[in-house]
């Protein structure tokens, strides 16, 4: 009954096998190995982007912070949702990597609208040299609240960015979950929708610790390489990052895992709904924000369930509804979900 | 015949097995898993330092840059050898992580002397607010040229630092190789010798990608945690870092691997000496800097040997001596070495 | 008819005379001159703070950014009003000087309330190492909208900061104007109200270009000195900064100038009120935010008046009310004000 | 008898008068005043560079650090003399403003040679992504040891920079003194000699506190403006900076002052030579590094002379020679010099 995060489950067996298979003989380090070369080609195919610059790092924060630093200047501001991971959960990593750029929060609580984004952009850079200058637009897909932007919504956001000549970064820590939810291609959800750079997550969907950064315009490649090395995110034994990501992409493992995670989440959401849960956001991928009676949470925790309460402590006098976040990964079994549902 | 680096060989089978064993069930992320807790205790035992603060990162540059940033201020200068890895091979990571501190290079070409270090320290901070202020002393053990500071030499350096009230960091990317060379304990080569913080390497000695940072005074712990997260070096699935490092420390695998690597290196060095090689530095651990006739290099490369030439191109008219760096890891076989020696 | 800013008027003659008087003979640079020594004592007396550390810089942004950098850490967030000068008008200088700290905006549009500040503080640092850590509280007095915090309001804000053990900085670019408005002492409006550091402005109130930074706890002194030098804000010929500030403080010139500026503003505000202007904020010092009919603005601009429209362009179809900002300094004459009033 | 620095003397009366004359009526701030516009044109004429971007700041360190930050990237290294002001006397300001770039010191002790510079450049960027990348070349003219590069020497240095496609910055804190020493034009000593950006000093040669930064390629203009504001070096009352610099340039005041300073220095040097002083560097502008017997220093200090000893304390047993630095500015009188000479 582990719904705490999609990074608390085990690594998919295929990924582990790939590490073992990669572990033969000698290989040059720092990205000069053969697997890394294969991986670059594979990701370019997946994204239908033969010119794309492709890099690997080991954490999602590194992917986001390095990508945004490459796309921005320190006297600019990055536009993002007011609940964006880069704002709430990276301990100022974007500010650090960009050399002190600002984040301008678009009030939305989940998904930015084109209108909200435009308003935020228009409000900046009205003071000439005095205020921050307009910088990249950063979009999370899946969002931090479990929503998914439709392709129309994505395109509307990037159209606003294009109007102001601003680059667009997509935080795809749960890229595969979003793709599966939208039933679209990787290209459709990225460059075809006006996205310039993607953090393409593997860690939350079955890998051990690997994320790709993809720039569709390769002009950013060398600067990114230098920023990655300077940020201490260039691995010496890159073959073990490449091997993970290759196994992840082979035989649609990434999409299969995402389908399982989303399916588990849909199943759990439907049962929660029947049990009277109130939803704080509409669950569209593999995360659910829902309120349950306090006593239900207590029973679940007493039985060993693991998940995060949201915005409210468990303690309290009555039996009011208390919000919680439930995340399903590929490895959760129906039995676990049913066991949990039986408790609440 | 791979002598390019001790990061080009495979991961030790025990480390891979540990990853597999760690891959069962659910575990909280970000250092809250049980293996990470065990690892902290194990490293404290290894270093005889029950109060020490212990952290894991995945690259040596991250370990060094984060440790130095924690020990320094941006208006200070770090004292190090003029061939230190932090100066030559980290693309300004120490300057980045420290917020713009300077490195003051102690001229030495390999090992700093206490006298040279004192001279460098005395020359700084003579200008009040105008110049950089004195900051940490950074020592590499094994050095970047394959030498090893004796405990006496280490203590002499840290005594100079203590005189000026400066903290001392030890870049132990090859900590085990140095310990084996000195036949001493981890405590003797660190806090008992006046060292305040250690980058304790695993990657170059059989791990996949893991380094520990150890502060003997735990007052630095929370700041380091925040700097690590801000630097995007906090892994979500930390159990796989901890599992590597635990397997590395169990049953003396780390020391066995280092003994093998040093032994391979000693064997190669002795044979090179007999073959007429000239040594640029005295090989004391698992790296050899030696000159061979150009034709010997050519034959080796033609036969597929892999290693780095040093300070000189291979092309040239005559058959003069050309310097090269040979690094042995634990996995090199005597057959490989003999095969290489037969060529030159 | 210049109401554009209190930095567009001339320097007060006494300040200029002081520069001339300071211009005799030789004086050591970088703060070692006699006038600087006198100035330190004078400011300590003015603030009834014999231990205070006192520094001069030449711009308000330097004063704010250096003070906040000294009080914060790069992994923290600074709490301030959503219209704070440090957020809107310093092109990311606080982020730059702090090494990438964040600003958390307290929604208020002008003056923070203790309740609003507490809510903002409570919302941060709920995510352990993942989010930014709580840092200084920054208060502007006079505010950017021409309001003045009462001593009670100030104390309520600093009490919240103290509850969370956070230091408090006061941006006093218009410190004298606020003091005059409150009819209080410098000590009452600073350390007696719980403020730890003050940017004490001179430039907007008759000086040529000088601001003091005052830390009531001198433990910050040396760090501030180093940060100032590193930021290139240590002047060589400091006697000319000290001479300005000394003349400013002598014979109550600073308070006289502020009384004139506030008086001019009150006179203008009263007449605007009678003329039917609508006030966007209550004018309490020397700035007025008021709406006038479009045609009135047009007549004023045609006649050479200088001031900033606020949040709205002048162009438009009808004759609706258009907001504007009017700033009075000490040098504005009643004739100028009357001339302007006659136009609108 | 003040030879401590060319920033310890008074401001030239013409400069003070200009401040008084500028002090009439209202002027828009932040560089939008009429004097600033005139100053831009004047400096473009002085440098025969009609397209040049021209900015004012108040300190030499600001000029240098902002110019270098604009010309560099944080993963690069700046090449400079091992006694450069930017290295020894700016408390890491270049590292701060550049976001953590490194300085590579060319060993020379005073003037870099083309050969030494090339060697330093060639030694960097040999490690691909691992080491710092090559960045700007920074030259001080007058040097920190009182020497002056001939135009040939300057061109030889910039030719090396051009070979590697690196921009060149000239720290001209004593630009006028060097021009007078070389009897050349401003253009000849800057863009005609291959220089891309100049810090053009006023403060050390009669101004109160003003330095210009000039980019001969205006493409850098907007970035510099933003970096200046972000660095808190944009003055609100810019007219008083512009007025100083205008008065400085009018009627050849800058060159007259420099001629006086250099003349005073030559006179002092000649007399010191006759008195048996040993010169540590050849005095070519307005600074002298010379050794005198300890007793001579003692007599001078006892009589109130002010200057810096160099590399050695005054205390000591015998009467050996002790090095000192003597700086002459425009305001030193022959009487002062003779008075000093009579003592030693």
């Amino acid at each position: 009954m582990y719904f705490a995060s999609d990074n608390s489950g085990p690594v998919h067996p295929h990924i582990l096998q790939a590490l073992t298979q990669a572990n033969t003989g000698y290989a040059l380090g720092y990205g000069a190995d053969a697997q890394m070369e294969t991986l670059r080609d594979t990701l370019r195919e997946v994204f239908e982007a033969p010119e794309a610059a492709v890099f690997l790092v080991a954490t999602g924060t590194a992917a986001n912070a390095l990508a945004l630093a490459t796309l921005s200047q320190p006297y600019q501001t990055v536009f993002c949702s007011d609940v964006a991971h880069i704002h709430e959960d990276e301990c100022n990593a974007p500010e650090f990597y960009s050399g002190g750029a600002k984040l301008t929060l678009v009030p939305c609580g989940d998904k930015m609208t084109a209108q909200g984004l435009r308003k935020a952009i228009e409000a900046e850079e009205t003071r000439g040299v005095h205020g921050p200058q307009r910088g990249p637009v950063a979009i999370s897909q899946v969002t931090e609240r479990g929503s998914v932007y439709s392709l129309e919504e994505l395109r509307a956001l990037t159209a606003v960015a294009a109007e102001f000549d601003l680059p667009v970064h997509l935080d795809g820590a749960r890229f595969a979950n979003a793709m599966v939810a939208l039933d679209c291609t990787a290209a459709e959800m990225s460059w075809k929708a006006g996205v310039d750079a993607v953090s393409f997550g593997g860690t939350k969907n079955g890998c051990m610790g690997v994320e790709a950064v993809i720039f569709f315009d390769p002009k950013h490649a060398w600067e990114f390489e230098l920023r990655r090395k300077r940020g201490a995110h260039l691995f010496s034994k890159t073959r073990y990052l490449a091997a993970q990501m290759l196994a992840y992409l082979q035989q649609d493992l990434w999409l299969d895992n995402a389908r399982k995670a989303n399916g588990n989440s849909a199943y759990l959401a439907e049962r929660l709904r029947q049990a009277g849960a109130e939803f704080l956001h509409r669950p569209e991928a593999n995360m659910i924000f829902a309120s349950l009676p306090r006593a239900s949470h207590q029973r679940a925790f007493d039985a060993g369930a693991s998940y995060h309460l949201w915005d409210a402590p468990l303690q309290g006098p009555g039996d009011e509804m208390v919000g919680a976040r439930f995340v399903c990964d590929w490895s959760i079994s129906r039995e676990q979900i049913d066991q949990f549902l039986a408790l609440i």
Side-chain angles (χ1 to χ4, degrees), chain A:
Chain A
M1 299 185 294
Y2 283 80
F3 308 104
S5 174
D6 33 13
N7 60 36
S8 57
V11 170
H12 193 280
H14 288 189
I15 307 283
L16 263 187
Q17 286 161 22
L19 291 177
T20 305
Q21 284 159 13
N23 200 42
T24 52
Y26 293 80
L28 287 179
Y30 305 113
D33 59 289
Q35 300 220 47
M36 190 63 219
E37 194 50 42
T38 307
L39 184 269
R40 272 187 282 261
D41 289 341
T42 306
L43 267 173
R44 285 171 183 145
E45 277 169 39
V46 163
F47 277 88
E48 305 168 42
E51 305 291 322
V54 172
F55 305 95
L56 295 182
V57 293
T59 72
T61 296
N64 291 339
L66 284 164
L68 286 169
T70 303
L71 294 175
S72 70
Q73 294 292 334
Y75 37 77
Q76 292 180 339
T77 189
V78 175
F79 298 93
C80 64
S81 154
D82 56 355
V83 298
H85 193 271
I86 57 171
H87 173 60
E88 295 203 321
D89 284 301
E90 301 190 351
C91 197
N92 299 359
E95 289 87 348
F96 174 43
Y97 275 87
S98 65
K102 198 185 274 289
L103 303 190
T104 293
L105 307 181
V106 179
C108 59
D110 183 9
K111 284 161 75 171
M112 295 188 282
T113 63
Q115 189 182 1
L117 177 61
R118 173 179 282 109
K119 195 174 158 190
I121 295 174
E122 284 174 349
E124 296 291 357
E125 211 173 291
T126 58
R127 296 164 178 249
V129 81
H130 297 279
Q133 307 296 298
R134 294 162 180 158
V137 172
I139 306 170
S140 301
Q141 175 81 321
V142 178
T143 74
E144 291 77 6
R145 296 297 179 265
S147 306
V148 177
Y149 289 98
S150 73
L151 292 183
E152 291 70 29
E153 288 170 330
L154 263 190
R155 288 191 293 250
L157 291 174
T158 64
V160 173
E163 214 176 294
F164 293 92
D165 206 19
L166 306 178
V168 177
H169 171 256
L170 195 79
D171 176 357
R174 296 182 179 94
F175 193 94
N177 303 84
M179 257 181 72
V180 162
L182 293 183
D183 192 19
C184 68
T185 68
E188 283 169 347
M189 209 172 80
S190 57
W191 64 269
K192 288 187 176 174
V195 170
D196 297 288
V198 172
S199 297
F200 178 79
T203 312
K204 288 182 188 299
N205 195 30
C207 293
M208 183 177 285
V210 67
E211 313 275 312
V213 177
I214 300 157
F215 291 94
F216 298 108
D217 185 336
K219 75 177 174 191
H220 298 293
W222 185 233
E223 177 177 345
F224 185 89
E225 285 227 40
L226 292 164
R227 289 188 177 274
R228 179 176 60 172
K229 173 66 193 174
R230 188 178 74 119
H233 288 287
L234 176 60
F235 274 51
S236 57
K237 301 186 176 177
T238 41
R239 59 170 143 170
Y240 302 101
L241 292 185
Q244 287 182 62
M245 186 57 86
L246 273 172
Y248 181 63
L249 294 171
Q250 273 157 11
Q251 298 174 319
D252 282 350
L253 177 61
W254 60 306
L255 297 172
D256 285 350
N257 279 359
R259 275 187 207 107
K260 282 183 197 152
N262 287 13
N264 288 335
S265 180
Y267 176 80
L268 173 58
E270 180 52 29
R271 293 297 183 283
L272 285 173
R273 192 187 319 269
Q274 293 167 2
E278 295 164 10
F279 290 87
L280 312 177
H281 300 278
R282 195 175 143 205
E284 297 177 315
N286 67 325
M287 282 196 289
I288 300 165
F289 290 78
S291 291
L292 295 173
R294 171 169 292 128
S296 301
H297 289 304
Q298 195 58 64
R299 280 194 303 277
F301 290 145
D302 290 346
S306 171
Y307 56 88
H308 293 294
L309 294 180
W310 206 251
D311 296 330
L314 189 59
Q315 291 73 31
D319 195 27
E320 62 268 55
M321 302 293 270
V322 172
R325 187 187 78 161
F326 305 90
V327 191
C328 295
D329 78 348
W330 63 275
S331 73
I332 299 277
S333 66
R334 286 288 152 106
E335 289 70 31
Q336 283 190 63
I337 300 175
D338 289 335
Q339 184 187 355
F340 168 71
L341 288 166
L343 286 163
I344 63 167

